[in-house]
Amino acid sequence: MHHITKINRIEEAVQAIGVTEQTLTEEEKNSLNEKGFVVFTGMLDAAELETLRAKYEELMEKEGMNAGKEVHQEEGTRRLSDLVNKGECFDSVYTNQKLLAAVYHVLKREFKLSSLNARDAIPGAGLQALHADWGSREEFEPFHVCNSIWLIDDFTPDNGATRIVPGTHKLAGYPRDYGIDPRERHPQEELIVAPAGSVCVINSHLWHGGTLNRTTKTRRAMHAYFTAREHQQQLDQAAYIRKRTYDRLSPAARYILDV
Ligand SMILES: O=C(O)CCC(=O)C(=O)O
């Protein structure tokens, strides 16, 4: 039973989910402000990881060549899209307290889920150009998008862990405006190396990208991607929402999806 029937503001939605001023530590807020990302460890326990891994493979098997199509397919990777509608196990991902506190901290205004996807770098592939999940932004323009990477497998120095260039979320323009080759290693880049169950929230104006998986095992992750509410979603959640998903969601979750 949900006590509140209708939510009209993002502040009400995140409060209903339990987010407070204390949900993030000062250190976590500073990391988002200055470096443009923060890593939370221990966000998924062993049982949740097992469920998510099994679901991931079940969906890959079921969707085959179509996997990822609702949003994006990418050579050298396996991708899934529209996870909101593909299992109850995903409900707690995009409604997680720490995640929503971090997204609100970055965007500082009304927001909604843009998409909930998954991506793994298959052995021998996965290198992406350094990119921001948004086009060119002026230096003092507000931030528009915030992403989160949910590690379903450990991210190691060799298995295609995401790279980020700290502080670049503050830069105007595109990576190419700074005279770099976005496919090459950047002198200031850092790899997100963390155990499965960790979540890296990135202000996704930050330059980032997948790296080459040099191991023989795949590297799976989910991306819960958010946008300021005035923009279009990467996946039109209202168009895709299934009745059985809608019916089980809280008013706060529906508000976050904008359905
Ligand atoms: O999965 C990753 O390591 C990052 C993926 C990414 O940045 C993207 O697909 O745009």
Side-chain angles (χ1 to χ4, degrees), residues 70-94:
E70 300 95 326
V71 172
H72 181 49
Q73 293 183 311
E74 178 190 357
E75 205 180 328
T77 69
R78 298 186 304 167
R79 297 187 71 119
L80 294 168
S81 300
D82 188 27
L83 294 180
V84 166
N85 288 296
K86 294 184 181 170
E88 207 169 334
C89 58
F90 301 114
D91 295 356
S92 56
V93 171
Y94 64 91

Side-chain angles (χ1 to χ4, degrees), residues 26-212:
E26 285 310 306
E27 200 183 342
E28 289 165 345
K29 290 178 190 169
N30 285 339
S31 184
L32 282 166
N33 297 345
E34 300 310 318
K35 295 186 184 166
F37 72 99
V38 66
V39 180
F40 303 130
T41 53
M43 296 272 278
L44 298 164
D45 64 25
E48 289 169 313
L49 281 169
E50 195 180 319
T51 302
L52 288 166
R53 286 178 185 136
K55 191 67 176 176
Y56 197 110
E57 296 308 325
E58 179 196 315
L59 290 169
M60 284 295 177
E61 176 89 2
K62 185 170 143 199
E63 298 188 11
M65 299 292 284
N66 290 322
K69 258 195 181 155
E70 300 95 326
V71 172
H72 181 49
Q73 293 183 311
E74 178 190 357
E75 205 180 328
T77 69
R78 298 186 304 167
R79 297 187 71 119
L80 294 168
S81 300
D82 188 27
L83 294 180
V84 166
N85 288 296
K86 294 184 181 170
E88 207 169 334
C89 58
F90 301 114
D91 295 356
S92 56
V93 171
Y94 64 91
T95 57
N96 178 277
Q97 273 179 15
K98 289 275 273 196
L99 171 66
L100 295 176
V103 173
Y104 189 70
H105 184 78
V106 168
L107 298 178
K108 303 193 190 320
R109 64 188 189 283
E110 285 287 336
F111 69 81
K112 60 192 171 186
L113 186 79
S114 185
S115 59
L116 182 63
N117 304 322
R119 173 182 186 274
D120 61 276
I122 64 175
L127 177 69
Q128 292 182 327
L130 277 174
H131 62 279
D133 293 336
W134 186 261
S136 181
R137 175 188 149 269
E138 299 299 324
E139 201 173 338
F140 297 104
E141 207 178 312
F143 297 121
H144 300 284
V145 283
C146 186
N147 213 335
S148 64
I149 305 173
W150 290 66
L151 283 61
I152 298 181
D153 293 311
D154 294 342
F155 276 25
T156 71
D158 298 323
N159 75 349
T162 313
R163 59 182 173 146
I164 47 93
V165 187
T168 48
H169 60 300
K170 297 181 182 178
L171 299 177
Y174 295 96
R176 64 169 183 267
D177 299 335
Y178 293 82
I180 62 152
D181 177 347
R183 292 195 72 83
E184 290 298 322
R185 209 189 158 280
H186 188 284
Q188 271 92 47
E189 79 180 34
E190 288 178 17
L191 283 180
I192 307 295
V193 171
S198 305
V199 177
C200 178
V201 180
I202 64 173
N203 173 328
S204 47
H205 298 265
L206 185 73
W207 303 354
H208 66 279
T211 60
L212 180 67

